[in-house]
Amino acid sequence: HVVATGGDSNLGGDDFDEKIAEFYKISRKSAKIIKETLSENTVVIKDSLIEIPQEDLAKLPNKITKDAVDEIILPLIHKCVAVMQGVLKDSQIPQSNIKGLILVGGSTRMPIITEALNHEFSVPVLNDADPDRVVAFGAAVQAFHTVRKSTGNILLDVIPLSLGIETIGGAVQKIIERNTSIPFEK
C-alpha cells in the first residue's frame, strides 16, 4: 500500500556525473567512470582509469579520493535527503514508524547517499537488492498479479502529482491532490 510518493525528475545519475565533469572540466562519460570507480574504492589513481580518454586524463590530478568527489556532489546529496523528508512529511507517518529505506536507481550505489540517509533518518538503508532492478522486479510482480487477476496481492498506489483544471486567469483548481490513493473519482 503506497501512502506517498515523491522525487525530483531533475535529479539522477547524470546530474552527479555533470557536477563531477564540471569540476574537473572533463566529459560526463569520464565523470561517470570516476563516480562508479569511487563507489567501490576510497581512492583512484589516474593511471588506473584506462577507459578515460587521454584529453580528460590530462586534466585530472594523479589521485582522486572519494572524499573529494563527495564534496563536489554534496549539494545533490542534500537534494536527495530533502526529497526523502518531503515524502515522509506527505505520508504523515511518524519517522519512528519507518523500519528502513529501499533505494532505487544506480546512483544509490554511492556510499555517501547511504551515509546521508542513515544519518538523517537513523534507520537501515536496505540496499542489498540491485537498485537498477528493484523497480523492474516490483513491476513484474504487479503485472503477474494483474494478469492472473489475483485478489490477494493488489498494489494500492497513489497519484504522484495533483490533477486539476485551468480556470479563468490561468489559475489551476486542484481536483485530485497528489498522494491520493487511486483509483479515485470526484
Side-chain angles (χ1 to χ4, degrees):
H1 181 168
V2 178
V3 292
T5 186
D8 184 340
S9 57
N10 295 316
L11 180 60
D14 289 346
D15 300 293
F16 290 96
D17 299 343
E18 186 63 36
K19 275 276 193 208
I20 297 165
E22 286 174 7
F23 183 85
Y24 289 114
K25 296 176 178 35
I26 57 175
S27 70
R28 278 199 338 208
K29 184 177 180 183
S30 294
K32 180 179 181 179
I33 293 167
I34 291 168
K35 174 188 76 178
E36 290 174 352
T37 303
L38 287 173
S39 290
E40 298 174 9
N41 304 285
T42 56
V43 177
V44 65
I45 305 301
K46 172 166 90 169
D47 295 339
S48 68
L49 299 169
I50 56 175
E51 307 117 52
I52 293 182
Q54 282 297 332
E55 60 270 11
D56 282 349
L57 276 178
K59 299 173 187 173
L60 295 172
N62 286 329
K63 179 171 75 169
I64 304 168
T65 66
K66 175 188 166 305
D67 290 341
V69 171
D70 286 353
E71 189 67 32
I72 295 165
I73 61 172
L74 196 56
L76 299 177
I77 300 303
H78 292 309
K79 282 185 171 183
C80 289
V81 170
V83 166
M84 293 295 293
Q85 290 168 328
V87 170
L88 185 59
K89 181 181 174 191
D90 289 347
S91 74
Q92 299 178 352
I93 295 174
Q95 187 169 332
S96 59
N97 288 4
I98 304 297
K99 304 286 187 263
L101 304 172
I102 299 171
L103 305 181
V104 298
S107 289
T108 62
R109 286 187 180 93
M110 292 187 296
I112 189 173
I113 291 178
T114 301
E115 293 161 11
L117 293 173
N118 272 332
H119 175 75
E120 183 65 31
F121 298 102
S122 302
V123 296
V125 175
L126 308 170
N127 57 1
D128 53 340
D130 182 342
D132 292 324
R133 295 183 180 185
V134 170
V135 174
F137 179 75
V141 169
Q142 182 63 20
F144 174 81
H145 290 293
T146 300
V147 168
R148 300 262 188 215
K149 301 199 184 332
S150 170
T151 56
N153 293 303
I154 249 175
L155 174 66
L156 299 175
D157 206 351
V158 296
I159 190 161
L161 301 171
S162 296
L163 295 176
I165 57 170
E166 184 176 347
T167 59
I168 297 172
V172 173
Q173 177 65 45
K174 290 181 185 175
I175 297 174
I176 303 174
E177 294 286 333
R178 70 187 170 98
N179 290 323
T180 299
S181 289
I182 51 177
F184 178 85
E185 67 179 60
K186 186 171 185 178

